Amino acid sequence: SSGINAEWPLRPGIAMKAFNVNNSSKTIWVEQKQTAWEVCQILAEKNYFKPGADWALVEHITELQIERELEDHELVYEVLNSWSRDSTNKIYFRNNTRKYELFRRPQLYLQSEDSYANVVDLSRECRHVLIEDFFSGTANTRIPSIGLRGIHWLKSGKKSWRKMNFVIRDSGIYYAGKAKSKTSALPWTSFSRIDENDIFLPSNNKEFKKLHKAPTEYCFLIRTKTNTREQHRSTRCICLDNDLQFRLWTNALRRLQYGAALRHNQTSALQWLEKLSQEQDGLQRACVSPTLQNFQFGDDRASLIMPQIDDDVGDLFAARFGAAWNNSQHAPLKEAPSLCDINLETDNQGMTMVRLHQ
């Protein structure tokens, strides 16, 4: 045997197993240029989940029990290909309601420190203005001076936790050295360049705190990037005092790392979902109940005179709902079917056929 699964397409790519929250899994073929967003929608369909912008792929580093969420534009193949050949790492498929919280609650992340105590819900127009001002601004305004400076805990390698004074600037995280005199300003030294590192989170905050004797549960890890499987990746951990600080710091580093790509991802996702909703509305209008009167009852087949619908809608109908019943056990029609019960077929005489399942 060649060892090649006949179901996999013969084009560059890699087989990937994605685990759900209940530890069930689906294995799919990931092509070299497929983004995390595209793979998420494939997995949502295979798992019969509702499509949405909050679905995400999570890279889980088993050895360290840490993970990071892939951004929608990232190429999944490159992530998988960066693992060592004997890696036990996993990809998880999850729904994260905070994935695009930045755009739902920009007042929390894009205002000054003084505004935190008085964060209120903003109108849609005000949120839009705040987001527009932020993403159209310069490097200085992209990372607002919102108090992302303070004394936090650091653990590097086998060293003990120690307090250091950190600040986020436009190129990454800096730390304060010792001042030469009481009147001189603190010298800031680069601690981590954002373009050279990835931000990871503990897979389980409580277990991570216990294992590493962290001061709090609110930790994030800075891990050097690599383009090769053999290259060493150093990992350092910063521990914050509370959940608010944790969310502000990790969100700011995410904005700094990906910038306008975040907004493009969110906008593209919403546009795709809107288009999908319109297509499904078109399918429902095309398959109104009067056409069901044309069903011819048989054992497990029924003929149908299709209404006048354009080719794109018909193709979408067949493609999206046809795969759902593949290899299923068919049964006679007992009542008017829902859309997900239908698969279209065309016989050699050009007649549209409908196969149904329970």
Side-chain angles (χ1 to χ4, degrees):
S1 172
S2 64
I4 298 177
N5 190 325
E7 295 181 359
W8 298 137
L10 297 178
R11 50 181 178 265
I14 190 171
M16 183 194 78
K17 178 181 284 189
F19 292 86
N20 297 320
V21 290
N22 62 359
N23 222 32
S24 64
S25 65
K26 295 289 183 183
T27 301
I28 64 172
W29 186 258
V30 177
E31 298 179 25
Q32 287 183 335
K33 298 302 180 181
Q34 277 187 313
T35 64
W37 165 261
E38 292 169 332
V39 173
C40 279
Q41 303 318 308
I42 293 172
L43 288 170
E45 186 169 358
K46 282 188 171 292
N47 284 282
Y48 302 103
F49 296 151
K50 183 179 179 180
D54 291 336
W55 289 113
L57 296 181
V58 178
E59 178 188 12
H60 177 85
I61 310 301
T62 306
E63 181 181 4
L64 301 177
Q65 289 298 298
I66 61 176
E67 60 190 33
R68 76 176 185 96
E69 190 173 287
L70 273 61
E71 299 297 341
D72 284 348
H73 65 275
E74 290 191 67
L75 299 179
V76 181
Y77 178 89
E78 292 184 356
V79 174
L80 300 175
N81 204 43
S82 70
W83 297 351
S84 62
R85 298 186 183 278
D86 58 349
S87 173
T88 58
N89 297 344
K90 295 179 179 179
I91 291 290
Y92 281 93
F93 179 53
R94 297 178 185 161
N95 192 279
N96 177 15
T97 57
R98 286 187 177 179
K99 179 179 176 180
Y100 287 123
E101 186 181 42
L102 167 65
F103 300 95
R104 291 192 293 266
R105 300 184 65 198
Q107 66 272 24
L108 176 61
Y109 300 103
L110 305 181
Q111 296 190 114
S112 65
E113 180 183 12
D114 295 337
S115 303
Y116 288 155
N118 300 309
V119 169
V120 295
D121 291 334
L122 299 179
S123 67
R124 184 174 181 178
E125 292 75 15
C126 290
R127 293 198 302 268
H128 179 74
V129 169
L130 193 57
I131 293 170
E132 280 288 332
D133 289 346
F134 174 79
F135 282 100
S136 63
T138 62
N140 291 331
T141 58
R142 285 203 306 271
I143 302 298
S145 55
I146 53 176
L148 297 185
R149 170 178 173 174
I151 298 175
H152 303 300
W153 296 89
L154 169 70
K155 183 176 177 63
S156 180
K158 296 182 179 181
K159 296 181 180 179
S160 301
W161 292 94
R162 65 184 189 276
K163 287 186 174 181
M164 295 186 67
N165 195 355
F166 291 104
V167 65
I168 292 182
R169 290 185 172 177
D170 59 355
S171 60
I173 302 177
Y174 287 73
Y175 70 94
K178 294 183 179 179
K180 294 181 179 180
S181 66
K182 292 183 178 180
T183 57
S184 61
L186 292 176
W188 292 100
T189 304
S190 177
F191 174 77
S192 171
R193 288 188 59 87
I194 198 64
D195 57 346
E196 298 174 353
N197 296 272
D198 285 319
I199 304 300
F200 281 77
L201 304 179
S203 300
N204 185 305
N205 292 335
K206 292 183 179 180
E207 290 295 327
F208 185 89
K209 178 179 183 295
K210 181 178 179 181
L211 178 63
H212 296 279
K213 299 179 181 179
T216 74
E217 298 177 5
Y218 307 105
C219 302
F220 66 87
L221 300 100
I222 304 165
R223 197 164 190 244
T224 53
K225 293 181 179 180
T226 176
N227 294 322
T228 64
R229 294 176 176 178
E230 291 76 22
Q231 184 177 340
H232 174 70
R233 301 183 67 171
S234 66
T235 303
R236 294 171 290 178
C237 181
I238 292 179
C239 188
L240 307 172
D241 289 337
N242 53 57
D243 180 61
L244 178 60
Q245 287 185 353
F246 172 79
R247 291 166 66 180
L248 294 175
W249 274 70
T250 53
N251 195 284
L253 291 171
R254 182 187 178 204
R255 300 195 309 267
L256 181 60
Q257 184 170 9
Y258 299 107
L262 288 179
R263 190 181 187 193
H264 179 267
N265 291 344
Q266 190 254 3
T267 302
S268 298
L270 295 182
Q271 290 174 347
W272 186 89
L273 291 169
E274 176 63 24
K275 181 179 179 182
L276 178 63
S277 177
Q278 292 174 356
E279 289 172 343
Q280 290 177 338
D281 288 344
L283 292 177
Q284 292 172 352
R285 289 193 299 271
C287 299
V288 291
S289 57
T291 64
L292 298 177
Q293 298 173 2
N294 294 318
F295 275 104
Q296 308 267 330
F297 288 90
D299 49 2
D300 67 342
R301 300 181 70 83
S303 61
L304 173 66
I305 306 301
M306 289 296 294
Q308 293 296 319
I309 57 176
D310 58 55
D311 293 339
D312 290 339
V313 173
D315 290 344
L316 177 70
F317 192 105
R320 192 167 304 283
F321 300 108
W325 63 273
N326 191 30
N327 296 324
S328 64
Q329 183 177 2
H330 310 306
L333 175 65
K334 296 182 180 179
E335 59 184 353
S338 63
L339 286 178
C340 60
D341 296 320
I342 298 177
N343 179 64
L344 299 186
E345 295 180 355
T346 302
D347 62 16
N348 55 12
Q349 296 179 346
M351 185 174 185
T352 301
M353 305 298 293
V354 180
R355 188 184 292 271
L356 307 165
H357 69 92
Q358 288 178 320

